[in-house]
Amino acid sequence: MKGWWIAVAVVLLLAGCRVEPVGSIVVDTPRKGWSEAVELRYDNADTLGVYTIGVVLSVENDLVAESVALRVGCTSPSGATTEGRLVLTAPERHSGGSFTELAAEWVSGARLPESGDYLFTLTPEKEQNGVWMAGVSLRTMDLENNNDYGKR
C-alpha cells in the first residue's frame, strides 16, 4: 500500500514540470536499515535522445541523516557499466510534514545508445534509516537551446 501512495506522490510532483520526464522508476526500500543495492530497470527505445538523469529519495524527516551518500551505477543492455558517487542533501527541515524528497542530478548530457533494458543501481554508502523510496528520473534535453525540459 505504501508503494502505491509514494508512486502517486511522485507522479503528482513530476506533473508540475514544463514537459513530462521521459521516464522515472521508483522502488520501495527497507525503511529501517537500507544498506543493500536497489535495482531499477528502464526500457530504452530512444537511442538518439540526450538526457539528464537524476536520483530521488523519499525520506522521513525525523529519521534520515542530513545527507545521504550513494553509489549510482548504470549497466547497458550489452553490459557496459558506469558508476559514480552522489550525495543528496536534506533541505531545511519543516515541522509541517513527515516526509521530504531528496533529489539531485547524477549526470547531464547522457545518451543511451542501445535499445533495451538499462539497469540502474542505487547503493547507500552506509546503512540508512527512514528512506522509504528510491528512484531514477530521465528528462530530455534540448541541445539547440541548451534547455533541460524536465527542470521545474
Side-chain angles (χ1 to χ4, degrees), residues 9-80:
V10 169
V11 168
L12 291 174
L13 177 69
L14 294 175
C17 299
R18 284 186 352 182
V19 174
E20 288 188 38
V22 175
S24 57
I25 313 108
V26 296
V27 295
D28 291 337
T29 59
R31 191 178 79 129
K32 294 189 183 206
W34 176 38
S35 61
E36 300 294 320
V38 293
E39 296 183 344
L40 306 112
R41 292 193 184 276
Y42 175 71
D43 184 17
N44 183 50
D46 180 2
T47 60
L48 301 176
V50 179
Y51 303 98
T52 296
I53 302 174
V55 174
V56 62
L57 302 176
S58 179
V59 301
E60 284 184 65
N61 281 337
D62 58 345
L63 292 179
V64 75
E66 292 296 319
S67 64
V68 178
L70 301 174
R71 298 298 306 169
V72 182
C74 179
T75 304
S76 72
S78 68

Side-chain angles (χ1 to χ4, degrees), residues 38 40 53-56 68-75 81-88 104-107 119-125 135-136:
V38 293
L40 306 112
I53 302 174
V55 174
V56 62
V68 178
L70 301 174
R71 298 298 306 169
V72 182
C74 179
T75 304
T81 62
T82 186
E83 185 177 284
R85 183 175 192 264
L86 182 66
V87 177
L88 292 92
E105 181 180 294
W106 179 46
V107 65
L119 176 66
F120 291 92
T121 56
L122 304 176
T123 310
E125 289 187 349
V136 173

Side-chain angles (χ1 to χ4, degrees), residues 87-126:
V87 177
L88 292 92
T89 304
E92 183 178 326
R93 308 225 185 235
H94 299 286
S95 60
S98 58
F99 289 94
T100 298
E101 177 188 283
L102 307 184
E105 181 180 294
W106 179 46
V107 65
S108 184
R111 291 188 191 269
L112 304 178
E114 301 173 37
S115 59
D117 283 345
Y118 280 77
L119 176 66
F120 291 92
T121 56
L122 304 176
T123 310
E125 289 187 349
K126 66 178 188 174

